[in-house]
């Protein structure tokens, strides 16, 4: 099945997540979050404000994606993202074995290993977005963060490791699929196509 069969709604949601998650990761490298010391100032403080805004936008897209996944008929459907049936689990195991032998599983809107990987990525991004929103709600503008905010900030940083790992792996595999002749990047990011 070709990646070109992803429907337009899924491609738009994927594009929104690709942009917001990439921005979040890049902003996290140069921003300065409020802490116990002096309040951040200048460009690093402004970049933290941008991180908050983009994070809330990412949360909205993630929530839309979950809603979309409840009703989608393509590979964004929950049954494709989380292969819980015996047959679906067997497909994942078979594709993992094939991958270990150097055979790349077919991409596109389907379950199996690609669907599971997308589902795990959506979980990681959801965890980062939700924990970020909780921090946004708990973090005072001018005072040191309260204890609950510290706990959530630590969880947010921990989840960010998985988002970074997923992002790097997802981009790498998309490029590998593209070089294998699957047209993955063109088909996913052609938002004008039905």
């Amino acid at each position: 099945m070709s990646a070109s069969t992803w429907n337009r709604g899924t491609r738009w949601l994927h594009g929104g997540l690709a942009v917001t998650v990439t921005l979040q990761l890049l902003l996290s490298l140069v921003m300065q979050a409020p802490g116990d010391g002096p309040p951040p100032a200048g460009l690093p403080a402004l970049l933290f404000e941008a991180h908050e805004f983009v994070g809330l936008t990412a949360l909205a897209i993630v929530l839309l994606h979950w809603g979309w996944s409840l009703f989608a008929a393509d590979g964004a459907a929950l049954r494709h993202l989380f292969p819980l049936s015996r047959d679906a689990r067997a497909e994942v195991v078979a594709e993992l074995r094939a991958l270990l032998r150097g055979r790349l599983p077919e991409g596109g809107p389907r379950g199996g290993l690609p669907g599971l990987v997308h589902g795990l990525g959506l979980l990681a991004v959801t965890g980062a977005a939700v924990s970020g929103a909780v921090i946004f709600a708990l973090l005072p503008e001018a005072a040191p963060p309260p204890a609950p905010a510290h706990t959530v900030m630590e969880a947010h940083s921990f989840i960010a490791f998985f988002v970074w790992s997923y992002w790097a792996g997802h981009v790498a595999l998309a490029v590998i699929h593209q070089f294998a002749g699957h047209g993955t990047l063109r088909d996913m990011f052609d938002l004008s196509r039905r």
Side-chain angles (χ1 to χ4, degrees):
M1 185 179 294
S2 168
S4 64
T5 58
W6 288 102
N7 69 49
R8 186 183 294 190
T10 301
R11 290 194 316 268
W12 274 99
L13 289 167
H14 183 272
L17 284 177
V19 169
T20 55
V21 169
T22 300
L23 277 173
Q24 286 298 83
L25 293 173
L26 295 176
L27 286 168
S28 74
L29 296 174
V30 291
M31 69 181 198
Q32 182 181 359
D36 292 328
L43 184 60
L46 181 63
L47 294 175
F48 177 73
E49 296 289 330
H51 185 77
E52 289 179 317
F53 173 75
V54 174
L56 293 174
T57 304
L59 176 62
I61 295 170
V62 164
L63 294 176
L64 284 170
H65 203 304
W66 280 107
W68 181 260
S69 296
L70 291 173
F71 302 105
D74 67 357
L78 288 178
R79 71 181 178 282
H80 294 294
L81 296 174
F82 303 102
L84 299 177
S85 72
R86 174 180 284 172
D87 290 342
R89 289 191 314 266
E91 183 180 2
V92 169
V93 169
E95 289 178 350
L96 278 170
R97 287 183 180 141
L99 187 61
L100 291 173
R101 281 179 271 177
R103 287 198 326 253
L104 189 63
E106 189 175 323
R110 62 182 200 81
L113 185 58
L116 175 61
V117 169
H118 287 127
L120 293 174
L122 187 58
L123 283 175
V125 169
T126 300
V130 168
S131 61
V134 170
I135 294 166
F136 179 78
L138 293 176
L139 199 62
E141 287 295 322
H150 275 294
T151 303
V152 180
M153 288 167 79
E154 288 175 9
H156 186 68
S157 294
F158 178 73
I159 295 167
F161 168 78
F162 294 101
V163 175
W164 269 109
S165 300
Y166 178 78
W167 181 85
H170 194 61
V171 168
L173 283 171
V175 170
I176 290 169
H177 272 282
Q178 185 70 28
F179 281 121
H182 298 169
T184 302
L185 296 174
R186 180 197 65 240
D187 292 337
M188 180 52 84
F189 290 105
D190 182 359
L191 300 177
S192 65
R193 184 184 292 175
R194 286 195 165 263

